[in-house]
Amino acid sequence: MTQIKHHLNDQLLMAYSAGTLPEAFNLIIAAHISMCDECRARMHSFDAVGGAVLEETSEVQMSDGSLEATLALIGKGPKDPIKVLEKTSSSLPQPLWDYAGRDLADVRWRSVGMGVKQSILKTSKDATARLLYIPAGSAMPDHGHNGLELTLVLQGAFEDEDDYFGAGDLEIADQHVHHTPVATIDQDCICLAVTDAKLKFSSLVPRIAQPFLRI
Ligand code: ZN
Ligand code: ZN
């Protein structure tokens, strides 16, 4: 595993710890945490604070089990760091197993054109999680964002106008970011991408395809 340089911010870690995020965001955050010692340690410090608050507020009601569901996701990763380290190069992060299978070979890809493939994961509808397969050297159409987009690199690497993102790195893009992610030439790039709003494409072809691809 290469050195992880791009991490979760405090806002996302806190919201994750509090269990207030859509399922798709919980999924990508749990996946990053399972790959990243630094964010795992930061999350435990947020959990400790959250736990103290919960103990003081005895009448707190857990309305829909979202906290339990989130804790279950967390439990799968950090409590078992040895297994995470032992994983083979083609295995997916453990939080993704129930959604996409254990191995990249299990993923059911659908072509979206230009060699790019995607696999949309089944999560609650308030946000969308998809695995993306970008052939080495290929570019995604340039786009802006109407909401928040998180992209976690699972294999290979990509570059955009902002920076270089290698395995384990998480890019956080919002309304202010317009970019053209390009997979590096040495290896096909596989990412997990989560969005809570449609992307803004500048060129016509991806705009036409947008409703069919759910991007
Ligand atoms: Zn991290
Ligand atoms: Zn983007």
Side-chain angles (χ1 to χ4, degrees):
M1 177 74 55
T2 49
Q3 185 77 36
I4 297 176
K5 292 195 187 72
H6 300 276
H7 297 277
L8 290 158
N9 58 30
D10 284 353
Q11 200 185 357
L12 284 168
L13 268 176
M14 246 183 279
Y16 175 69
S17 177
T20 57
L21 291 168
E23 184 181 7
F25 283 94
N26 284 337
L27 189 58
I28 194 168
I29 290 170
H32 177 79
I33 285 170
S34 77
M35 299 168 86
C36 179
D37 296 337
E38 190 180 318
C39 287
R40 196 179 311 145
R42 284 166 66 213
M43 191 210 52
H44 285 314
S45 66
F46 282 123
D47 278 351
V49 174
V53 172
L54 277 182
E55 274 167 28
E56 278 171 28
T57 335
S58 53
E59 68 278 8
V60 163
Q61 295 281 315
M62 291 297 156
S63 54
D64 55 7
S66 63
L67 180 61
E68 284 87 340
T70 303
L71 291 175
L73 270 179
I74 298 166
K76 285 181 184 174
K79 280 185 189 152
D80 230 347
I82 294 155
K83 269 189 188 158
V84 172
L85 290 176
E86 279 172 357
K87 75 194 184 87
T88 61
S89 61
S90 66
S91 67
L92 288 164
Q94 204 168 356
L96 293 179
W97 289 1
D98 287 346
Y99 295 83
R102 293 187 169 218
D103 195 275
L104 283 171
D106 299 331
V107 177
R108 303 169 82 188
W109 296 106
R110 301 190 71 161
S111 173
V112 300
M114 311 287 284
V116 177
K117 294 182 279 187
Q118 73 171 1
S119 176
I120 294 179
L121 309 183
K122 273 210 179 98
T123 62
S124 58
K125 296 246 186 299
D126 42 3
T128 305
R130 78 189 70 231
L131 290 166
L132 281 170
Y133 182 102
I134 312 165
S138 293
M140 298 294 289
D142 67 306
H143 62 271
H145 310 88
N146 289 304
L148 184 64
E149 176 192 67
L150 302 185
T151 308
L152 173 66
V153 180
L154 303 176
Q155 180 195 294
F158 73 86
E159 288 175 284
D160 65 10
E161 291 81 344
D162 259 9
D163 218 327
Y164 172 95
F165 298 85
D169 278 331
L170 182 92
E171 181 175 37
I172 302 171
D174 61 14
Q175 289 94 330
H176 307 292
V177 175
H178 189 107
H179 62 173
T180 310
V182 183
T184 56
I185 198 75
D186 52 315
Q187 199 183 358
D188 295 340
C189 180
I190 295 170
C191 298
L192 172 66
V194 171
T195 47
D196 62 358
K198 283 183 182 156
L199 301 180
K200 283 189 274 196
F201 291 105
S202 343
S203 51
L204 187 61
V205 171
R207 274 218 305 274
I208 293 170
Q210 214 167 356
F212 305 104
L213 306 178
R214 288 173 56 195
I215 46 180

